Amino acid sequence: MQDIIQAELNGLSFTKNFRSSSAEEWYIFLPHYHEPKTGGAAGKAIIQYDLFGNKDVFINTTIIFDDPKLHDSELHYLVYSIAEELINRLVGYADTLLVVHAGENSYHAEYINNE
């Protein structure tokens, strides 16, 4: 599984589809996973910024995996690793509330920078 995870992370790429003053949408591309109808992006990440008037700011991030193969519970560690890498690359060290939609591999997480 470690080799599979590393291969996907090495080939992970993304492109911004949409940006507004409060949100971004990114398409997620993986070497071995694709959206089944079009063969396109394996998923998307939506990053929402609610920065006005809140001293305890969280970035709300939703990752949706469209390839049903990533919904298989045997690939939980792969989905988790991809989501973690996306948070590191797209959000960085900001406090983040994460929701991942991937069938049986769906989960919620909270990333807090304690500095």
Side-chain angles (χ1 to χ4, degrees):
M1 179 56 76
Q2 188 61 33
D3 291 338
I4 293 170
I5 291 171
Q6 197 57 53
E8 294 304 319
L9 294 182
N10 288 342
L12 172 67
S13 64
F14 40 85
T15 185
K16 191 181 294 185
N17 179 46
F18 173 77
R19 180 182 169 97
S20 72
S21 61
S22 62
E24 297 176 349
E25 180 182 75
W26 296 84
Y27 287 134
I28 303 163
F29 297 94
L30 297 165
H32 299 100
Y33 299 94
H34 310 281
E35 194 278 325
K37 287 186 182 178
T38 65
K44 65 182 116 312
I46 302 163
I47 302 169
Q48 297 175 310
Y49 305 95
D50 184 15
L51 304 177
F52 302 105
N54 186 353
K55 70 177 194 165
D56 298 317
V57 174
F58 277 91
I59 305 299
N60 296 311
T61 303
T62 303
I63 299 172
I64 303 166
F65 288 106
D66 295 323
D67 189 327
K69 292 183 280 187
L70 292 169
H71 299 184
D72 185 342
S73 62
E74 291 180 12
L75 296 178
H76 172 75
Y77 292 112
L78 174 62
V79 169
Y80 181 87
S81 297
I82 294 167
E84 177 117 342
E85 187 67 19
L86 286 167
I87 291 297
N88 289 337
R89 292 188 194 183
L90 296 176
V91 180
Y93 296 103
D95 292 344
T96 305
L97 299 175
L98 172 66
V99 177
V100 175
H101 295 279
E104 291 184 41
N105 294 324
S106 298
Y107 69 96
H108 301 258
E110 192 173 288
Y111 292 82
I112 297 180
N113 182 7
N114 290 321
E115 291 182 18

